[in-house]
Amino acid sequence: MAPSRKKKIAVLDADEKECQELCDLIKQQNYNAIPLYSLAKVEQCIRERDCIAVILDLDSVPVDNRMIRELTIRNPEVYFLATSKDRFHPDLKDAISYHIYACLNKPVDSDELFYWLRSIYQEKVGS
C-alpha cells in the first residue's frame, strides 16, 4: 500500500458513473481522488484542493487544443493526463503532444495509471 498522499488528483469525466469508478480505483492505492463532472470546476478545484494532477476524459468532456493549452499554461504546476476509447485524436494533436503528460486508453489499465501517478509524485513531491 502506498503512503497517504496529501496532494489530490482531480478526475474530470461528464459520465458520473465512469468518473466515480476511476476515483474508486485511484483511492484503492491510497491516493486522494476528487470527482469532477464539468470543465468549469477544474480550475477552482486545482486552486482550492491543492491538486497535483487532473485526469481528463476526452470522450465525455468537450475540449479543443486552445482550451487544453490555456488550462495547462494557467496551471503549470499541475500534470494533465487524458483518457479515451479512441486511439487517435487528430483534432487534439497539439494539445496531446505538448500539454498532456500521458494519454491512457480506456478501459484504463491500473498498472499503467499507477505508473504515471507514481512518476508524477516522484517528480513533484519526492520519493
Side-chain angles (χ1 to χ4, degrees):
M1 188 71 104
S4 181
R5 312 305 207 274
K6 289 182 183 177
K7 297 208 178 254
K8 289 141 188 96
I9 299 158
V11 177
L12 174 59
D13 190 330
D15 181 321
E16 291 185 26
K17 183 177 182 266
E18 282 188 19
C19 185
Q20 193 58 55
E21 287 173 358
L22 187 54
C23 284
D24 290 345
L25 176 66
I26 292 167
K27 289 175 183 176
Q28 286 176 8
Q29 292 296 314
N30 209 23
Y31 289 89
N32 293 307
I34 303 165
L36 299 173
Y37 309 112
S38 74
L39 192 58
K41 303 279 185 186
V42 171
E43 289 197 76
Q44 177 183 357
C45 179
I46 289 170
R47 283 190 310 275
E48 292 176 0
R49 301 253 184 123
D50 197 23
C51 291
I52 193 170
V54 174
I55 300 173
L56 169 67
D57 181 74
L58 300 178
D59 299 335
S60 69
V61 179
V63 292
D64 59 28
N65 279 308
R66 191 175 121 247
M67 292 166 92
I68 292 173
R69 182 182 67 242
E70 289 175 0
L71 187 62
T72 59
I73 288 172
R74 284 193 303 266
N75 301 285
E77 71 286 356
V78 177
Y79 289 78
F80 287 83
L81 293 92
T83 62
S84 179
K85 290 178 184 171
D86 297 329
R87 293 181 57 89
F88 301 104
H89 287 275
D91 53 322
L92 297 175
K93 179 183 168 193
D94 290 338
I96 291 171
S97 295
Y98 300 109
H99 302 286
I100 301 291
Y101 186 67
C103 205
L104 298 103
N105 287 326
K106 287 173 33 181
V108 172
D109 177 282
S110 61
D111 290 336
E112 182 181 17
L113 172 63
F114 293 117
Y115 166 81
W116 289 114
L117 293 180
R118 280 191 307 273
S119 297
I120 290 168
Y121 271 84
Q122 287 173 352
E123 280 187 41
K124 288 295 274 186
V125 180
S127 5

